[in-house]
Amino acid sequence: EQVWVPCPTCLVDDFDRAKERIAGTTTVTPDGQLQTLVFALKNACDGATMQVGIFNMASLGFVLLAVAALSLYQRRMQIKFDIQAQTAQDYSIEVFNPPADATEPEEWKEFFETRFGGHVTCCTVTKNNDLLVRALAERREILAIIEEKVKEGSLVNTLSLSELAARIENRRHCFGNIKSRISPGIPELVGRLTVLNTKIQGLAQQQYNATRVFCTFETEASQRKVLQEMT
């Protein structure tokens, strides 16, 4: 709500951006002189008083306390739900920086059971043997493709595959050679398989460092005890 009030000290230049909030009228004084009366549009509220400021600060404080209480409540409920929902993570830990030569799962199992008590159900040590894993995965894919191409019931071993590949390659004509470059046949797959077998044998003889250790405990209490003492 707004009302017009006298404002003898107001100037038009003060209302450049809101000229509709200032107005004036001319009257005649008792001695016969003209006098201009200036009026300004004023808000009917009290404006920024101390009482309003106190109410605003009290409201802000209440909102902050409510947000903090809600955050605490959500955190407690999250822990409660996490306890109720049993997953493998609730029983497992991950060691990010194991010693490079600590690659034996039995040693890790003995360490945790001796140092912290409890029973380690499963322990896995990962190594930096990516090349070996990729080679094994490719070998498995090639074997699966070869098994689809050979007749059902045929033996799939190194000797039989080599003999089959040689027989197919000897019977090929010009069109078959061109087709094999686009879609590898059994001879090409067997050749790649031989290369992979040699590569895998060489990679398997290398020493690899441990990169991660995953241990799963029998109880959740054992897992929490290890986390509390190691962090």
Side-chain angles (χ1 to χ4, degrees), residues 42-67:
K42 179 185 177 182
N43 295 328
C45 63
D46 295 333
T49 61
M50 178 62 70
Q51 185 179 5
V52 174
I54 293 175
F55 284 146
N56 290 339
M57 292 299 296
S59 300
L60 179 61
F62 174 78
V63 171
L64 293 177
L65 289 176
V67 171

PDB file of all heavy atoms in Angstrom, residues 42-67:
ATOM      1  N   LYS A  42       4.825   7.375  -0.880  1.00  0.00           N
ATOM      2  CA  LYS A  42       5.547   6.671   0.166  1.00  0.00           C
ATOM      3  C   LYS A  42       4.866   5.332   0.459  1.00  0.00           C
ATOM      4  O   LYS A  42       3.643   5.232   0.441  1.00  0.00           O
ATOM      5  CB  LYS A  42       5.592   7.517   1.443  1.00  0.00           C
ATOM      6  CG  LYS A  42       6.305   6.833   2.612  1.00  0.00           C
ATOM      7  CD  LYS A  42       6.195   7.688   3.883  1.00  0.00           C
ATOM      8  CE  LYS A  42       6.844   6.968   5.059  1.00  0.00           C
ATOM      9  NZ  LYS A  42       6.707   7.749   6.318  1.00  0.00           N
ATOM     10  N   ASN A  43       5.712   4.307   0.711  1.00  0.00           N
ATOM     11  CA  ASN A  43       5.171   3.010   1.114  1.00  0.00           C
ATOM     12  C   ASN A  43       4.578   3.110   2.507  1.00  0.00           C
ATOM     13  O   ASN A  43       5.143   3.758   3.396  1.00  0.00           O
ATOM     14  CB  ASN A  43       6.264   1.940   1.096  1.00  0.00           C
ATOM     15  CG  ASN A  43       6.788   1.680  -0.299  1.00  0.00           C
ATOM     16  OD1 ASN A  43       6.050   1.801  -1.270  1.00  0.00           O
ATOM     17  ND2 ASN A  43       8.066   1.341  -0.404  1.00  0.00           N
ATOM     18  N   ALA A  44       3.441   2.453   2.698  1.00  0.00           N
ATOM     19  CA  ALA A  44       2.757   2.554   3.982  1.00  0.00           C
ATOM     20  C   ALA A  44       3.432   1.736   5.076  1.00  0.00           C
ATOM     21  O   ALA A  44       3.131   1.925   6.258  1.00  0.00           O
ATOM     22  CB  ALA A  44       1.299   2.107   3.829  1.00  0.00           C
ATOM     23  N   CYS A  45       4.370   0.808   4.710  1.00  0.00           N
ATOM     24  CA  CYS A  45       5.032  -0.001   5.737  1.00  0.00           C
ATOM     25  C   CYS A  45       6.055   0.836   6.494  1.00  0.00           C
ATOM     26  O   CYS A  45       6.445   1.916   6.055  1.00  0.00           O
ATOM     27  CB  CYS A  45       5.707  -1.207   5.096  1.00  0.00           C
ATOM     28  SG  CYS A  45       7.036  -0.774   3.944  1.00  0.00           S
ATOM     29  N   ASP A  46       6.520   0.302   7.616  1.00  0.00           N
ATOM     30  CA  ASP A  46       7.463   1.035   8.452  1.00  0.00           C
ATOM     31  C   ASP A  46       8.885   1.012   7.909  1.00  0.00           C
ATOM     32  O   ASP A  46       9.766   1.713   8.408  1.00  0.00           O
ATOM     33  CB  ASP A  46       7.458   0.464   9.873  1.00  0.00           C
ATOM     34  CG  ASP A  46       6.110   0.677  10.545  1.00  0.00           C
ATOM     35  OD1 ASP A  46       5.423   1.647  10.154  1.00  0.00           O
ATOM     36  OD2 ASP A  46       5.755  -0.131  11.418  1.00  0.00           O
ATOM     37  N   GLY A  47       9.160   0.117   6.903  1.00  0.00           N
ATOM     38  CA  GLY A  47      10.503   0.031   6.349  1.00  0.00           C
ATOM     39  C   GLY A  47      11.415  -0.821   7.215  1.00  0.00           C
ATOM     40  O   GLY A  47      10.975  -1.696   7.969  1.00  0.00           O
ATOM     41  N   ALA A  48      12.725  -0.595   7.101  1.00  0.00           N
ATOM     42  CA  ALA A  48      13.723  -1.406   7.816  1.00  0.00           C
ATOM     43  C   ALA A  48      13.869  -0.909   9.252  1.00  0.00           C
ATOM     44  O   ALA A  48      14.702  -0.070   9.561  1.00  0.00           O
ATOM     45  CB  ALA A  48      15.059  -1.348   7.089  1.00  0.00           C
ATOM     46  N   THR A  49      13.002  -1.471  10.114  1.00  0.00           N
ATOM     47  CA  THR A  49      13.077  -1.120  11.534  1.00  0.00           C
ATOM     48  C   THR A  49      13.851  -2.194  12.289  1.00  0.00           C
ATOM     49  O   THR A  49      14.122  -3.289  11.768  1.00  0.00           O
ATOM     50  CB  THR A  49      11.666  -0.975  12.115  1.00  0.00           C
ATOM     51  OG1 THR A  49      10.990  -2.238  11.990  1.00  0.00           O
ATOM     52  CG2 THR A  49      10.869   0.082  11.352  1.00  0.00           C
ATOM     53  N   MET A  50      14.200  -1.899  13.507  1.00  0.00           N
ATOM     54  CA  MET A  50      14.926  -2.847  14.340  1.00  0.00           C
ATOM     55  C   MET A  50      14.111  -4.128  14.565  1.00  0.00           C
ATOM     56  O   MET A  50      14.638  -5.244  14.533  1.00  0.00           O
ATOM     57  CB  MET A  50      15.279  -2.198  15.674  1.00  0.00           C
ATOM     58  CG  MET A  50      16.015  -3.133  16.636  1.00  0.00           C
ATOM     59  SD  MET A  50      17.617  -3.688  15.991  1.00  0.00           S
ATOM     60  CE  MET A  50      18.534  -2.132  16.101  1.00  0.00           C
ATOM     61  N   GLN A  51      12.805  -3.970  14.763  1.00  0.00           N
ATOM     62  CA  GLN A  51      11.955  -5.130  14.998  1.00  0.00           C
ATOM     63  C   GLN A  51      11.921  -6.057  13.786  1.00  0.00           C
ATOM     64  O   GLN A  51      12.005  -7.275  13.922  1.00  0.00           O
ATOM     65  CB  GLN A  51      10.534  -4.658  15.344  1.00  0.00           C
ATOM     66  CG  GLN A  51       9.603  -5.794  15.716  1.00  0.00           C
ATOM     67  CD  GLN A  51       8.213  -5.290  16.080  1.00  0.00           C
ATOM     68  OE1 GLN A  51       7.927  -4.103  15.960  1.00  0.00           O
ATOM     69  NE2 GLN A  51       7.359  -6.185  16.544  1.00  0.00           N
ATOM     70  N   VAL A  52      11.836  -5.457  12.586  1.00  0.00           N
ATOM     71  CA  VAL A  52      11.832  -6.266  11.367  1.00  0.00           C
ATOM     72  C   VAL A  52      13.164  -6.988  11.214  1.00  0.00           C
ATOM     73  O   VAL A  52      13.226  -8.169  10.827  1.00  0.00           O
ATOM     74  CB  VAL A  52      11.536  -5.382  10.142  1.00  0.00           C
ATOM     75  CG1 VAL A  52      11.691  -6.197   8.849  1.00  0.00           C
ATOM     76  CG2 VAL A  52      10.137  -4.806  10.228  1.00  0.00           C
ATOM     77  N   GLY A  53      14.273  -6.290  11.510  1.00  0.00           N
ATOM     78  CA  GLY A  53      15.583  -6.922  11.411  1.00  0.00           C
ATOM     79  C   GLY A  53      15.736  -8.095  12.358  1.00  0.00           C
ATOM     80  O   GLY A  53      16.305  -9.131  12.007  1.00  0.00           O
ATOM     81  N   ILE A  54      15.218  -7.943  13.584  1.00  0.00           N
ATOM     82  CA  ILE A  54      15.297  -9.032  14.560  1.00  0.00           C
ATOM     83  C   ILE A  54      14.498 -10.241  14.080  1.00  0.00           C
ATOM     84  O   ILE A  54      14.950 -11.393  14.172  1.00  0.00           O
ATOM     85  CB  ILE A  54      14.797  -8.548  15.930  1.00  0.00           C
ATOM     86  CG1 ILE A  54      15.773  -7.506  16.498  1.00  0.00           C
ATOM     87  CG2 ILE A  54      14.652  -9.726  16.898  1.00  0.00           C
ATOM     88  CD1 ILE A  54      15.300  -6.882  17.790  1.00  0.00           C
ATOM     89  N   PHE A  55      13.287  -9.964  13.551  1.00  0.00           N
ATOM     90  CA  PHE A  55      12.469 -11.067  13.040  1.00  0.00           C
ATOM     91  C   PHE A  55      13.164 -11.780  11.876  1.00  0.00           C
ATOM     92  O   PHE A  55      13.143 -13.008  11.782  1.00  0.00           O
ATOM     93  CB  PHE A  55      11.106 -10.537  12.593  1.00  0.00           C
ATOM     94  CG  PHE A  55      10.175 -10.238  13.727  1.00  0.00           C
ATOM     95  CD1 PHE A  55       9.280  -9.185  13.660  1.00  0.00           C
ATOM     96  CD2 PHE A  55      10.205 -11.018  14.891  1.00  0.00           C
ATOM     97  CE1 PHE A  55       8.433  -8.904  14.710  1.00  0.00           C
ATOM     98  CE2 PHE A  55       9.351 -10.740  15.943  1.00  0.00           C
ATOM     99  CZ  PHE A  55       8.466  -9.676  15.864  1.00  0.00           C
ATOM    100  N   ASN A  56      13.800 -11.013  10.995  1.00  0.00           N
ATOM    101  CA  ASN A  56      14.490 -11.623   9.857  1.00  0.00           C
ATOM    102  C   ASN A  56      15.675 -12.488  10.312  1.00  0.00           C
ATOM    103  O   ASN A  56      15.892 -13.594   9.806  1.00  0.00           O
ATOM    104  CB  ASN A  56      14.975 -10.539   8.892  1.00  0.00           C
ATOM    105  CG  ASN A  56      13.838  -9.875   8.161  1.00  0.00           C
ATOM    106  OD1 ASN A  56      12.738 -10.428   8.047  1.00  0.00           O
ATOM    107  ND2 ASN A  56      14.076  -8.675   7.650  1.00  0.00           N
ATOM    108  N   MET A  57      16.457 -11.975  11.260  1.00  0.00           N
ATOM    109  CA  MET A  57      17.592 -12.748  11.755  1.00  0.00           C
ATOM    110  C   MET A  57      17.128 -14.004  12.477  1.00  0.00           C
ATOM    111  O   MET A  57      17.747 -15.073  12.355  1.00  0.00           O
ATOM    112  CB  MET A  57      18.435 -11.877  12.690  1.00  0.00           C
ATOM    113  CG  MET A  57      19.152 -10.717  11.991  1.00  0.00           C
ATOM    114  SD  MET A  57      20.304 -11.287  10.728  1.00  0.00           S
ATOM    115  CE  MET A  57      21.472 -12.194  11.735  1.00  0.00           C
ATOM    116  N   ALA A  58      16.025 -13.891  13.239  1.00  0.00           N
ATOM    117  CA  ALA A  58      15.493 -15.065  13.935  1.00  0.00           C
ATOM    118  C   ALA A  58      15.011 -16.113  12.930  1.00  0.00           C
ATOM    119  O   ALA A  58      15.252 -17.317  13.106  1.00  0.00           O
ATOM    120  CB  ALA A  58      14.361 -14.655  14.869  1.00  0.00           C
ATOM    121  N   SER A  59      14.361 -15.661  11.847  1.00  0.00           N
ATOM    122  CA  SER A  59      13.885 -16.598  10.825  1.00  0.00           C
ATOM    123  C   SER A  59      15.060 -17.281  10.134  1.00  0.00           C
ATOM    124  O   SER A  59      15.040 -18.496   9.881  1.00  0.00           O
ATOM    125  CB  SER A  59      13.027 -15.861   9.795  1.00  0.00           C
ATOM    126  OG  SER A  59      11.916 -15.260  10.412  1.00  0.00           O
ATOM    127  N   LEU A  60      16.116 -16.504   9.831  1.00  0.00           N
ATOM    128  CA  LEU A  60      17.301 -17.077   9.194  1.00  0.00           C
ATOM    129  C   LEU A  60      17.974 -18.104  10.103  1.00  0.00           C
ATOM    130  O   LEU A  60      18.389 -19.183   9.655  1.00  0.00           O
ATOM    131  CB  LEU A  60      18.279 -15.965   8.824  1.00  0.00           C
ATOM    132  CG  LEU A  60      19.599 -16.422   8.167  1.00  0.00           C
ATOM    133  CD1 LEU A  60      19.322 -17.155   6.862  1.00  0.00           C
ATOM    134  CD2 LEU A  60      20.514 -15.214   7.932  1.00  0.00           C
ATOM    135  N   GLY A  61      18.073 -17.778  11.389  1.00  0.00           N
ATOM    136  CA  GLY A  61      18.671 -18.725  12.334  1.00  0.00           C
ATOM    137  C   GLY A  61      17.869 -20.007  12.428  1.00  0.00           C
ATOM    138  O   GLY A  61      18.433 -21.111  12.485  1.00  0.00           O
ATOM    139  N   PHE A  62      16.540 -19.887  12.429  1.00  0.00           N
ATOM    140  CA  PHE A  62      15.691 -21.079  12.486  1.00  0.00           C
ATOM    141  C   PHE A  62      15.883 -21.957  11.253  1.00  0.00           C
ATOM    142  O   PHE A  62      15.965 -23.190  11.352  1.00  0.00           O
ATOM    143  CB  PHE A  62      14.224 -20.667  12.613  1.00  0.00           C
ATOM    144  CG  PHE A  62      13.260 -21.818  12.539  1.00  0.00           C
ATOM    145  CD1 PHE A  62      13.065 -22.651  13.629  1.00  0.00           C
ATOM    146  CD2 PHE A  62      12.561 -22.068  11.368  1.00  0.00           C
ATOM    147  CE1 PHE A  62      12.189 -23.718  13.558  1.00  0.00           C
ATOM    148  CE2 PHE A  62      11.685 -23.138  11.291  1.00  0.00           C
ATOM    149  CZ  PHE A  62      11.493 -23.961  12.385  1.00  0.00           C
ATOM    150  N   VAL A  63      15.985 -21.319  10.078  1.00  0.00           N
ATOM    151  CA  VAL A  63      16.178 -22.081   8.838  1.00  0.00           C
ATOM    152  C   VAL A  63      17.516 -22.813   8.871  1.00  0.00           C
ATOM    153  O   VAL A  63      17.626 -23.990   8.492  1.00  0.00           O
ATOM    154  CB  VAL A  63      16.080 -21.151   7.623  1.00  0.00           C
ATOM    155  CG1 VAL A  63      16.492 -21.885   6.349  1.00  0.00           C
ATOM    156  CG2 VAL A  63      14.665 -20.613   7.475  1.00  0.00           C
ATOM    157  N   LEU A  64      18.586 -22.136   9.328  1.00  0.00           N
ATOM    158  CA  LEU A  64      19.901 -22.777   9.393  1.00  0.00           C
ATOM    159  C   LEU A  64      19.904 -23.958  10.360  1.00  0.00           C
ATOM    160  O   LEU A  64      20.470 -25.020  10.071  1.00  0.00           O
ATOM    161  CB  LEU A  64      20.956 -21.747   9.804  1.00  0.00           C
ATOM    162  CG  LEU A  64      21.240 -20.625   8.790  1.00  0.00           C
ATOM    163  CD1 LEU A  64      22.253 -19.641   9.357  1.00  0.00           C
ATOM    164  CD2 LEU A  64      21.735 -21.209   7.470  1.00  0.00           C
ATOM    165  N   LEU A  65      19.260 -23.781  11.513  1.00  0.00           N
ATOM    166  CA  LEU A  65      19.183 -24.881  12.470  1.00  0.00           C
ATOM    167  C   LEU A  65      18.372 -26.045  11.902  1.00  0.00           C
ATOM    168  O   LEU A  65      18.718 -27.222  12.110  1.00  0.00           O
ATOM    169  CB  LEU A  65      18.554 -24.393  13.777  1.00  0.00           C
ATOM    170  CG  LEU A  65      19.411 -23.449  14.630  1.00  0.00           C
ATOM    171  CD1 LEU A  65      18.623 -22.967  15.842  1.00  0.00           C
ATOM    172  CD2 LEU A  65      20.688 -24.145  15.075  1.00  0.00           C
ATOM    173  N   ALA A  66      17.305 -25.732  11.173  1.00  0.00           N
ATOM    174  CA  ALA A  66      16.488 -26.789  10.579  1.00  0.00           C
ATOM    175  C   ALA A  66      17.272 -27.566   9.528  1.00  0.00           C
ATOM    176  O   ALA A  66      17.182 -28.794   9.450  1.00  0.00           O
ATOM    177  CB  ALA A  66      15.221 -26.186   9.969  1.00  0.00           C
ATOM    178  N   VAL A  67      18.058 -26.840   8.707  1.00  0.00           N
ATOM    179  CA  VAL A  67      18.873 -27.507   7.688  1.00  0.00           C
ATOM    180  C   VAL A  67      19.925 -28.403   8.336  1.00  0.00           C
ATOM    181  O   VAL A  67      20.164 -29.536   7.901  1.00  0.00           O
ATOM    182  CB  VAL A  67      19.524 -26.468   6.766  1.00  0.00           C
ATOM    183  CG1 VAL A  67      20.548 -27.123   5.842  1.00  0.00           C
ATOM    184  CG2 VAL A  67      18.476 -25.743   5.942  1.00  0.00           C
TER     185      VAL A  67
END
